[in-house]
Amino acid sequence: MIVLKSLKEIERMRAPCTIVAEVLQRVVESVSPGITTLELNSIAEKEVAKRKAKPAFRGYSGYPCSLCCSLNDQVVHGIPSNNPLKDGDILSLDFGAFYDGFFGDAAVTVAVGSVSKSAANLMSVTEQSLALAIEQAFQGNKLSDIASAVQVFVESNGYSVVRDFVGHGIGRNLHEQPQIPNYGQPHKGPTLRVGMVLAIEPMVNEKSFEVKVLADGWTAVTLDGGLSAHFEHTVAIMENGPEILTMI
Ligand code: MF3
Ligand code: CO
């Protein structure tokens, strides 16, 4: 069942979503060669606590940290570690917060120092694919129009869309219906309605879309070692179209 949110509930979701955007901004500002992802996790925890919110991921199905830090060929759910970041890395940062009964969720991929042209292009195409996906999130459209927009754009740029992970509805729970794949035929699935709040999160691989999960039970990596990028926003479907809630 897809839970529709009232206007009042969407107003309440602005707080956790803004907090997510602010925390991610602080973390992104701190990214540079030499810092460790555990240090970035601490920054996220400090910033979310300052805002009287709770991190959404710590303890979720046993996830051990508050931030997901997925480096280079890591796709999603990378666990923060003591290894310092290196110039030329790309780093996906995924953060969720809980405040006043509701969740917010967003992700960005950033360059560490200066990165190759191909890495920068992968990040840019992935970010653009999220923007195109969000443009499809209006009432009367079908859920799979979001997926199709991502897939067509990503593949026309020579990249592949990860199949094994999806976006999701979000609200009083971090993960609600519907699941939101990033590939598929258009004009299928449930009709989008005002009051749906969706965490849309394309994951894009440089080479094959195949991924595997490492022995830690969390870290998803590309099977072929190619780079991967991830962007996510929490988006409310309003009368006048989509509104990105995870923006400052
Ligand atoms: N944005 C991701 C998701 O929606 C992050 C979840 S990490 C987890 O699945 F630890 F909470 F699982
Ligand atoms: Co998410």
Side-chain angles (χ1 to χ4, degrees), residues 26-79:
R26 291 300 181 150
V27 172
V28 167
E29 285 166 1
S30 307
V31 169
S32 68
I35 196 165
T36 71
T37 48
L38 264 175
E39 289 171 319
L40 296 178
N41 181 70
S42 299
I43 292 166
E45 292 188 343
K46 191 185 76 193
E47 293 295 333
V48 77
K50 245 200 231 175
R51 292 164 175 80
K52 310 248 180 299
K54 294 266 180 299
F57 302 164
R58 182 177 279 285
Y60 184 91
S61 303
Y63 186 73
C65 290
S66 298
L67 189 66
C68 295
C69 297
S70 307
L71 201 56
N72 298 324
D73 65 333
Q74 299 178 351
V75 179
V76 285
H77 303 164
I79 300 174

Side-chain angles (χ1 to χ4, degrees), residues 8 51 56 71 90 118 133 162 181 207 217 234:
K8 228 171 151 179
R51 292 164 175 80
L71 201 56
I90 65 169
S118 60
V162 172
K207 301 182 210 164
T234 297

Side-chain angles (χ1 to χ4, degrees), residues 3 11 30-32 43 53 71 82 87 96 101 113 125-126 172 178 180 189 211-212 216 244:
V3 179
E11 286 308 311
S30 307
V31 169
S32 68
I43 292 166
L71 201 56
N82 265 318
D87 186 65
V125 165
T126 308
R172 292 183 188 274
I180 309 172
V211 305
K212 65 172 179 190
D216 62 19
I244 300 174

